[in-house]
């Protein structure tokens, strides 16, 4: 059985976008510093240099380095599939340089007028359309889009998982029609595909011959990509089922056998095969399901002739493997489709954005998709679509007639999704009591499990700070939408290798508030934040013409750890000048907060309007020793809000 999946199984990571972008930057540096004698071949110095770079930048698990430079090849293979680099010739391609330009100019903050996805996402939409696999297979993404067209842009999750099977059909429309059929049967589809596999039928023949001779010493017919070990596991399971078929076990003995041999947490029977036989999600012998489990396996093993059982067993093993592969490819496809910014994944379905679905439903959709695959990546590159009569009619059905209408429509969609997300996953209580405290001791895995795998932890911290301020600022949802965060179609954060500004600039009627966040610690914090925070705030102040508004403008610095000398520097900024070639200002005010301070403010249910006058009072304190000012005035104030 064949599978058509997106990307490369060697690079299947949650933060795929960041990983690809970071690797591209590393390759740019590697190739520019390589000599003519350096070659990209197995175990070459160049590959080993690249492996070291992957390790230094946390782009590879240390457990993956045991196989040496092989991982330098496999982890970077998708960049070549996407035509971003040519490793053998040692150069970044024209397409790769285009992506670097978009990153360096922070174009992930700009959106295409028609598709309403950011320009880096549009780049990956285009690149995915043009991607070519190592075996020369192409048009994988285009075939996926054809399936979405047939489902009018929204596919049930279980059917979406089966799309990788499309390459088993020479006529792709034949597969799509089966998938769309309301009487669709997944097992019948798998059975049909299995029957089309001549290699599999030869394996079946060898297995049936082995059952007649009862010689399973060389079970190559059950070998998998993991080798003969997988085959031996299947034979062991087969022998258990034969004993059950021959009534060698009574009910109690069978139950004990299942507990001891089949039901271990890491057991291959339980994880790989039994879930596709047994209807319950949880495979364990309990009073509630033991009887059902027993009957299920008895029914499977004892009905029919020996030949019928052996064929049934063979089909079950390979169907289970295929279903396991499909499950594995689902996660990979999800990572790669998320690169395009055009898909939304929900527990029960996968949806494509309305504007792309409008294109898919167009009578000339193939030519439009092909055109997108060749167009430059820019804000207005697809503006010509607004003039297409079919598209104009489709947009009108959504109440959209102008570019501004489309922007408003997309913004309202994002606002609705974000409000649902806040209500479901990021309530005020969950943010303050569960998520924010995890940043104090950097429980990164837990943070990602609660928020998203698609972003680095510092990016998630920025996101959670924005959500915190949403609650503090009287549930002002526009703040999150205007914060300059890079968000995916599910309104969750995503990281770029070239980061955007980590500060939020919030304009109010009578002042501007700057909030800057960081997870840097100790020496790194002094080096990274002392200059940048004051520079950002200083430039904001220089650009405010109204004297009273400038006087009321200040900054908040939020960190998991507050370095004493950073506190001292920020406090002394009240007396410092800041200038450019034309203007200058004297003094800037910065209030430092740690995570406990933010959680105390959240838990107090005080709004920004409530605490702002107190902040001004704290700023005007006579104390100029920064660390003492924080410990004796800022922190006690925040603690007092909940006492």
């Amino acid at each position: 059985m064949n599978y058509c999946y997106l990307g490369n199984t060697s690079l299947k990571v949650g933060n795929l976008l960041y990983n690809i972008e970071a690797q591209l930057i590393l390759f740019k540096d590697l190739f520019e510093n390589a000599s003519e004698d350096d070659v990209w071949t197995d175990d070459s110095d160049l590959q080993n240099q690249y492996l070291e770079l992957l390790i230094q930048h946390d782009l590879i698990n240390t457990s993956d380095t045991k196989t040496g430079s092989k991982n330098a090849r496999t982890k970077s293979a998708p960049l070549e599939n996407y035509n971003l680099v040519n490793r053998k010739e040692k150069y970044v391609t024209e397409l790769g340089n285009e992506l670097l330009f978009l990153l360096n100019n922070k174009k992930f903050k700009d959106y295409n007028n028609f598709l309403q996805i950011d320009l880096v996402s549009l780049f990956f939409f285009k690149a995915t359309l043009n991607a070519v696999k190592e075996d020369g297979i192409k048009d994988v993404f285009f075939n996926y889009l054809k399936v979405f067209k047939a489902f009018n842009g929204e596919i049930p999750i279980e059917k979406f998982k089966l799309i990788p099977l499309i390459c088993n059909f020479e006529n792709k429309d034949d597969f799509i029609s089966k998938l769309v059929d309301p009487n669709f049967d997944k097992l019948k589809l798998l059975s049909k595909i299995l029957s089309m596999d001549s290699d599999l039928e030869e394996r079946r023949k060898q297995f049936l011959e082995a059952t007649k001779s009862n010689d399973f010493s060389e079970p190559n017919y059950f070998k998998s990509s993991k080798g003969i070990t997988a085959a031996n596991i299947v034979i062991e399971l087969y022998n258990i089922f034969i004993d059950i078929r021959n009534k060698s076990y009574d009910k109690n003995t069978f139950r004990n056998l299942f507990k001891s041999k089949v039901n271990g947490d890491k057991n291959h029977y339980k994880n790989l095969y039994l879930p596709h036989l047994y209807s319950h999600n949880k495979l364990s012998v309990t009073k509630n399901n033991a009887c059902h489990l027993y009957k299920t396996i008895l029914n499977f093993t004892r009905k029919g002739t020996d030949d019928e059982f052996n064929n049934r067993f063979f089909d079950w093993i390979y169907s289970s493997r295929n279903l396991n592969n499909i499950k594995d490819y689902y996660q990979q496809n999800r990572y790669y489709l998320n690169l395009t910014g055009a898909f939304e994944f929900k527990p029960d379905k996968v949806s494509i954005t309305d504007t792309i679905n409008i294109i898919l439903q167009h009578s000339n959709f193939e030519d439009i998709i092909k055109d997108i695959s060749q167009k430059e990546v820019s804000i207005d590159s697809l503006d010509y679509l607004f003039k297409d009569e079919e598209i104009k009619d489709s947009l009108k059905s959504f109440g959209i007639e102008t570019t501004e209408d489309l922007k408003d429509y997309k913004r309202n969609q994002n606002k609705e999704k974000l409000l649902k997300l806040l209500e479901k996953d990021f309530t005020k209580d969950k943010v303050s009591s569960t998520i924010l405290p995890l940043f104090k001791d950097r429980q990164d895995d837990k943070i990602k499990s609660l928020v998203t795998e698609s972003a680095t932890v510092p990016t998630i911290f920025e996101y959670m700070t924005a959500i915190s301020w949403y609650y503090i600022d009287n549930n002002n949802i526009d703040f999150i939408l205007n914060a300059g965060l890079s968000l995916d179609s599910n309104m969750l954060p995503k990281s770029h290798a070239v980061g955007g500004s980590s500060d939020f600039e919030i304009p109010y009627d009578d002042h501007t508030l700057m909030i800057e966040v960081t997870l840097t610690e100790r020496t790194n914090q002094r080096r990274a934040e002392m200059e940048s925070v004051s520079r950002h705030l200083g430039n904001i102040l220089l650009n405010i013409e109204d004297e009273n508004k400038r006087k009321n403008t200040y900054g908040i610095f939020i960190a998991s750890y507050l370095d004493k000398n950073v506190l001292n520097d920020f406090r002394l900024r009240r007396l410092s000048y800041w200038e450019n070639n034309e203007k200058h200002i004297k003094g800037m005010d910065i209030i430092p907060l740690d995570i406990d301070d933010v959680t105390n403010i959240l838990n107090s249910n005080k709004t920004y309007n409530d605490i702002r006058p107190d902040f001004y009072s704290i700023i005007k304190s006579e104390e100029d020793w920064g660390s003492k000012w924080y410990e004796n005035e800022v922190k006690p104030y925040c603690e007092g809000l909940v006492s």
Side-chain angles (χ1 to χ4, degrees):
M1 184 176 288
N2 298 315
Y3 304 94
C4 286
Y5 49 85
L6 299 167
N8 189 305
T9 54
S10 64
L11 189 61
K12 185 172 61 177
V13 292
N15 61 341
L16 181 64
L17 176 63
Y18 177 84
N19 194 294
I20 290 177
E21 292 176 353
Q23 284 202 64
L24 181 60
I25 293 169
L26 293 181
F27 268 122
K28 182 79 170 176
D29 184 64
L30 181 75
F31 292 154
E32 286 179 352
N33 290 286
S35 69
E36 290 185 7
D37 296 331
D38 285 323
V39 291
W40 184 271
T41 56
D42 293 357
D43 296 321
S44 66
D45 288 342
L46 195 63
Q47 282 191 0
N48 283 309
Q49 285 178 46
Y50 191 65
L51 179 63
E52 286 301 315
L53 288 172
L54 292 175
I55 295 170
Q56 289 171 20
H57 290 82
D58 295 323
L59 296 174
I60 188 172
N61 292 326
T62 53
S63 59
D64 290 337
T65 62
K66 294 176 182 177
T67 53
S69 67
K70 176 184 176 183
N71 277 285
R73 301 191 298 275
T74 57
K75 297 299 179 186
S76 60
L79 277 74
E80 195 136 342
N81 296 155
Y82 274 85
N83 191 30
L84 303 177
V85 298
N86 186 316
R87 294 172 296 178
K88 187 175 181 180
E89 299 298 326
K90 297 180 296 188
Y91 68 88
V92 173
T93 66
E94 182 179 344
L95 202 62
N97 281 311
E98 181 184 3
L99 178 55
L100 288 173
F101 172 82
L102 293 171
L103 294 175
N104 290 329
N105 290 277
K106 298 181 175 57
K107 294 297 184 180
F108 44 79
K109 293 188 176 185
D110 294 337
Y111 285 73
N112 180 266
N113 287 334
F114 184 82
L115 293 182
Q116 284 298 302
I117 58 177
D118 70 81
L119 296 189
V120 171
S121 293
L122 177 55
F123 172 90
F124 278 104
F125 190 93
K126 169 184 168 181
T128 307
L129 283 169
N130 293 318
V132 179
K133 313 271 284 189
E134 289 92 337
D135 52 12
I137 293 177
K138 55 184 179 179
D139 295 331
V140 175
F141 185 37
F142 178 75
N143 287 326
Y144 275 49
L145 292 176
K146 287 182 69 175
V147 180
F148 274 89
K149 172 183 172 65
F151 279 90
N152 196 28
E154 188 171 271
I155 304 179
I157 198 74
E158 292 305 318
K159 289 189 175 183
F160 172 81
K161 290 177 181 178
L162 298 173
I163 298 180
L165 299 175
I166 193 171
C167 54
N168 291 283
F169 291 77
E170 186 173 347
N171 183 349
K172 304 299 185 282
D173 291 336
D174 186 26
F175 169 82
I176 294 172
S177 65
K178 293 181 186 302
L179 209 58
V180 174
D181 189 338
N183 298 315
F184 170 77
D185 187 314
K186 177 171 66 176
L187 294 180
K188 283 184 179 179
L189 176 67
L190 288 172
S191 179
K192 177 177 176 59
I193 296 174
L194 289 172
S195 68
M196 295 159 50
D197 191 330
S198 58
D199 176 66
L200 199 61
E201 288 308 301
E202 178 59 31
R203 289 186 175 215
R204 182 194 300 272
K205 180 180 176 182
Q206 293 172 7
F207 168 64
L208 294 176
E209 288 175 356
T211 62
K212 290 183 173 66
S213 63
N214 201 33
D215 180 7
F216 303 106
S217 56
E218 295 183 9
N220 293 323
Y221 36 82
F222 283 132
K223 280 179 66 175
S224 73
S225 59
K226 299 184 184 301
I228 198 66
T229 301
N232 290 329
I233 289 169
V234 173
I235 294 302
E236 187 175 357
L237 185 58
Y238 174 77
N239 288 328
I240 291 173
F241 275 30
I242 285 294
D243 284 341
I244 295 171
R245 179 175 173 80
N246 294 336
K247 302 182 180 179
S248 300
Y249 301 124
D250 60 24
K251 189 172 182 178
N252 287 331
T253 306
F254 164 73
R255 189 178 299 165
N256 291 331
L257 170 77
F258 188 88
K259 281 183 176 180
S260 63
K261 201 160 191 173
V262 181
N263 197 41
D265 286 339
K266 296 183 180 179
N267 192 284
H268 293 284
Y269 307 146
K270 175 181 178 180
N271 297 332
L272 300 180
Y273 301 112
L274 289 176
H276 306 297
L277 178 67
Y278 182 52
S279 60
H280 285 11
N281 290 328
K282 187 177 181 182
L283 287 173
S284 60
V285 179
T286 65
K287 289 182 180 179
N288 293 331
N289 66 24
C291 183
H292 178 71
L293 172 64
Y294 184 62
K295 288 179 179 178
T296 300
I297 294 183
L298 283 184
N299 184 57
F300 179 82
T301 56
R302 290 184 177 175
K303 72 177 182 181
T305 65
D306 288 348
D307 280 347
E308 287 173 338
F309 165 70
N310 290 329
N311 275 289
R312 187 163 62 249
F313 181 87
F314 184 89
D315 288 340
W316 170 55
I317 293 299
Y318 275 97
S319 292
S320 297
R321 286 181 175 179
N322 292 328
L323 289 168
N324 291 333
N325 287 338
I326 288 166
K327 181 181 178 182
D328 197 37
Y329 292 135
Y330 160 72
Q331 193 60 43
Q332 175 163 325
N333 281 334
R334 178 173 182 164
Y335 291 152
Y336 280 86
L337 287 177
N338 275 337
L339 292 176
T340 70
F343 297 85
E344 184 177 355
F345 287 81
K346 295 181 179 178
D348 60 335
K349 61 188 176 183
V350 184
S351 305
I352 200 165
T353 60
D354 290 331
T355 47
I356 294 178
N357 190 42
I358 285 173
I359 292 173
L360 295 184
Q361 304 310 319
H362 195 282
S363 60
N364 198 27
F365 87 96
E366 292 194 19
D367 287 341
I368 296 176
I369 292 296
K370 183 179 179 181
D371 191 49
I372 292 174
S373 73
Q374 304 302 318
K375 280 280 185 185
E376 67 170 341
V377 175
S378 66
I379 291 173
D380 57 1
S381 60
L382 301 177
D383 280 5
Y384 71 95
L385 292 174
F386 285 109
K387 300 175 183 178
D388 184 282
E389 291 302 323
E390 275 189 57
I391 288 177
K392 285 167 70 174
D393 288 341
S394 296
L395 288 173
K396 282 180 182 178
S397 69
F398 291 95
I400 298 168
E401 295 191 12
T402 67
T403 303
E404 290 305 313
D405 288 343
L406 183 54
K407 288 180 181 178
D408 290 341
Y409 174 80
K410 181 65 175 176
R411 184 179 178 84
N412 288 333
Q413 273 193 326
N414 289 342
K415 185 179 292 189
E416 184 179 337
K417 285 191 285 187
L418 187 53
L419 286 169
K420 287 180 179 178
L421 186 66
L422 293 169
E423 181 181 350
K424 177 177 177 289
D425 294 329
F426 304 130
T427 62
K428 182 195 282 192
D429 180 65
K430 186 173 182 180
V431 170
S432 65
S433 63
T434 303
I435 300 177
L436 283 179
L438 298 174
F439 291 98
K440 292 176 64 177
D441 52 0
R442 289 298 296 268
Q443 297 184 50
D444 290 8
D445 290 341
K446 201 163 185 179
I447 291 168
K448 289 186 175 184
S449 71
L450 290 171
V451 184
T452 179
E453 292 183 337
S454 298
T456 61
V457 171
T459 298
I460 296 174
F461 186 51
E462 292 176 20
Y463 179 71
M464 297 315 301
T465 300
I467 289 176
S468 298
W469 202 257
Y470 155 79
Y471 287 117
I472 294 170
D473 196 16
N474 206 25
N475 297 354
N476 178 12
I477 195 68
D478 288 322
F479 165 65
I480 301 178
L481 294 172
N482 296 333
L485 299 164
S486 184
L487 304 177
D488 65 18
S489 55
N490 292 299
M491 303 308 291
L492 291 169
K494 54 184 180 179
S495 295
H496 292 282
V498 177
S501 175
S502 62
D503 60 311
F504 307 129
E505 186 176 334
I506 315 170
Y508 294 95
D509 290 340
D510 61 347
H511 76 293
T512 295
L513 172 65
M514 185 200 80
I515 301 177
E516 181 140 355
V517 304
T518 185
L519 287 177
T520 57
E521 297 185 354
R522 303 186 190 280
T523 303
N524 285 338
Q525 188 173 106
R526 293 196 295 273
R527 183 171 59 247
E529 308 299 339
M530 280 172 57
E531 187 276 335
S532 65
V533 174
S534 55
R535 170 166 43 84
H536 292 157
L537 181 57
N539 289 335
I540 289 172
L541 291 167
L542 286 174
N543 289 321
I544 297 175
E545 298 295 335
D546 185 286
E547 185 176 344
N548 285 327
K549 188 171 184 178
R550 188 191 312 128
K551 182 180 178 182
N552 291 327
T553 291
Y554 68 105
I556 294 177
F557 176 73
I558 301 175
S560 56
Y561 161 84
L562 294 172
D563 179 84
K564 288 185 176 182
N565 285 312
V566 171
L567 296 173
N568 294 332
D569 180 83
F570 287 168
R571 188 60 178 158
L572 289 176
R573 293 290 170 178
R574 297 198 74 216
L575 306 175
S576 301
Y577 285 89
W578 187 264
E579 61 185 300
N580 59 22
N581 291 332
E582 301 172 355
K583 295 180 288 186
H584 74 275
I585 54 100
K586 181 181 180 181
M588 60 181 77
D589 298 317
I590 303 169
I591 290 185
L593 301 175
D594 70 8
I595 288 173
D596 288 336
D597 299 326
V598 176
T599 58
N600 283 330
I601 295 171
L602 285 169
N603 292 333
S604 74
N605 292 322
K606 299 282 188 182
T607 67
Y608 178 53
N609 284 336
D610 295 329
I611 63 175
R612 180 186 161 201
D614 298 327
F615 276 180
Y616 283 140
S617 295
I618 292 171
I619 286 171
K620 292 176 182 177
S621 165
E622 295 291 326
E623 179 63 74
D624 60 4
W625 190 336
S627 60
K628 285 190 175 183
W629 172 67
Y630 170 75
E631 290 294 338
N632 295 333
E633 299 188 44
V634 179
K635 193 167 191 65
Y637 168 74
C638 296
E639 291 172 342
L641 292 173
V642 291
S643 62

